[in-house]
Amino acid sequence: MYRRASRIFRRGPRPQVRPHPVDLVESLEHAEGLDGAIRKLSAAVQKVLHPGPVKDALHGVPAGHPAHPPLTDVPMGCWMSVAVLDLFPGTRKASQALVATGLAGAVPTALTGIADWSALHREQQRVGLVHALSTTTASALYAGSFVARARGRDGAGRALGYAGLTVLLAGGYLGGHLAFRQAAGASHADQVAHLVPLGWHDLCSASELPDGWPVQRRLGYISLFVLRDGEDIHVLTDRCSHLAGPLHQGRIITDEDSDPCVVCPWHGSTFRVSDGSVVHGPATGRQPSFETRVLEDGTVQVRPRT
């Protein structure tokens, strides 16, 4: 005879699960109560920040990548150094100089951040708004720290500095969520090198392409923007590198050199259709482009441009 083993389950109170920091941040993505303030602030920024060289510089178009992330290293680096120096005697002047340098660096950092924030999706803007409030609060605390140190109140200056660092680190965590979880600032264009084999590929018949009107075509896994301009056929990846907007739904304009360009319908990023180069932001990364040729039977072939 076999005895059946019996298991006795004891029911008790469920252990409390502590929320992970990322769970709290993800809840901000759905905080619709922030939308009213976001609409007003976005409208104000877009009213002041017109398309042109200043807006492009704030986005980082001349540099080829967003300007805001590297600029954050200046205030964060200075203020974290202050926190270390404040632990040692005889560092009063050095700490005060670093607090001042961080405050000066916070100005262009904030301006570039506001420019980028105004051209994000709503879920990103919700997290970005709290991120901006955190860093603004940190800057205000360090401004108070600077004033206190200048008046000889070193104890109060150190206390305000450590309070500012705490808020700054919280804001930095939100910035990391924006960059790495929500991909704000990263290129959203399809990675052609990984998705398209080398060599020429049949795309469509040239007779299918209307002259001067962009259309969408597919090549394997990716969607392409195709524009026929007389005898020339221009092909880019269709997903805008800024936030994956559909370029084939955008407007066709000409730049100062009369070259045709496409304007993304979502946030206004402008690309030259001949090579995918950025004419105006908020996009900073070149749009992947393709070489084209038309065979004798009218078949359009494409291959990634190297």
Side-chain angles (χ1 to χ4, degrees):
M1 296 180 64
Y2 296 93
R3 295 182 179 178
R4 291 185 177 180
S6 60
R7 295 181 179 178
I8 300 176
F9 295 93
R10 296 182 179 178
R11 292 185 177 181
R14 292 184 178 182
Q16 293 183 353
V17 179
R18 296 181 179 179
H20 194 275
V22 74
D23 297 329
L24 299 177
V25 179
E26 285 179 346
S27 67
L28 290 177
E29 298 178 17
H30 309 288
E32 297 180 358
L34 300 174
D35 291 353
I38 289 173
R39 282 191 292 268
K40 293 179 181 179
L41 290 173
S42 295
V45 173
Q46 293 170 6
K47 186 177 180 180
V48 174
L49 196 60
H50 302 289
V54 173
K55 184 175 184 293
D56 289 341
L58 289 174
H59 283 304
V61 174
H65 60 72
H68 178 68
L71 287 176
T72 62
D73 292 345
V74 176
M76 290 195 73
C78 288
W79 292 339
M80 292 181 73
S81 298
V82 170
V84 176
L85 289 178
D86 280 345
L87 297 175
F88 301 94
T91 59
R92 180 173 178 270
K93 291 184 177 180
S95 295
Q96 190 168 357
L98 285 173
V99 171
T101 304
L103 289 171
V107 176
T109 303
L111 293 175
T112 54
I114 290 170
D116 287 345
W117 174 83
S118 67
L120 294 177
H121 292 325
R122 184 52 51 87
E123 291 79 8
Q124 295 168 325
Q125 286 186 321
R126 291 166 181 162
V127 177
L129 179 61
V130 182
H131 164 70
L133 291 173
S134 299
T135 53
T136 300
T137 302
S139 298
L141 288 168
Y142 274 104
S145 175
F146 179 80
V147 172
R149 292 169 193 267
R151 294 178 177 177
R153 300 170 58 191
D154 293 342
R158 287 193 293 269
L160 288 169
Y162 284 118
L165 180 63
T166 302
V167 180
L168 182 69
L169 293 177
Y173 183 85
L174 293 173
H177 184 88
L178 268 169
F180 300 111
R181 291 293 293 269
Q182 294 183 292
S187 175
H188 289 255
D190 289 305
Q191 300 300 310
V192 173
H194 302 294
L195 299 175
V196 180
L198 298 176
W200 290 97
H201 305 274
D202 293 346
L203 182 62
C204 63
S205 173
S207 60
E208 299 176 10
L209 303 176
D211 192 6
W213 191 264
V215 296
Q216 180 188 35
R217 292 292 183 268
R218 293 201 66 83
L219 180 65
Y221 295 104
I222 66 174
S223 176
L224 299 180
F225 160 95
V226 184
L227 175 68
R228 180 176 182 176
D229 183 25
E231 296 182 355
D232 297 325
I233 297 176
H234 306 287
V235 178
L236 307 174
T237 56
D238 192 47
R239 287 161 43 99
C240 175
S241 62
H242 176 233
L243 283 177
L247 292 184
H248 74 279
Q249 297 180 12
R251 294 183 294 113
I252 302 299
I253 62 171
T254 56
D255 63 9
E256 297 176 354
D257 299 323
S258 298
D259 293 327
C261 303
V262 58
V263 180
C264 179
W266 283 6
H267 301 102
S269 297
T270 305
F271 304 93
R272 190 172 289 111
V273 299
S274 60
D275 60 2
S277 58
V278 181
V279 178
H280 293 299
T284 58
R286 179 188 296 270
Q287 196 70 15
S289 61
F290 291 76
E291 297 179 45
T292 64
R293 70 182 183 184
V294 181
L295 302 182
E296 293 182 357
D297 63 357
T299 300
V300 178
Q301 289 190 326
V302 298
R303 70 178 178 183
R305 189 183 303 276
T306 58

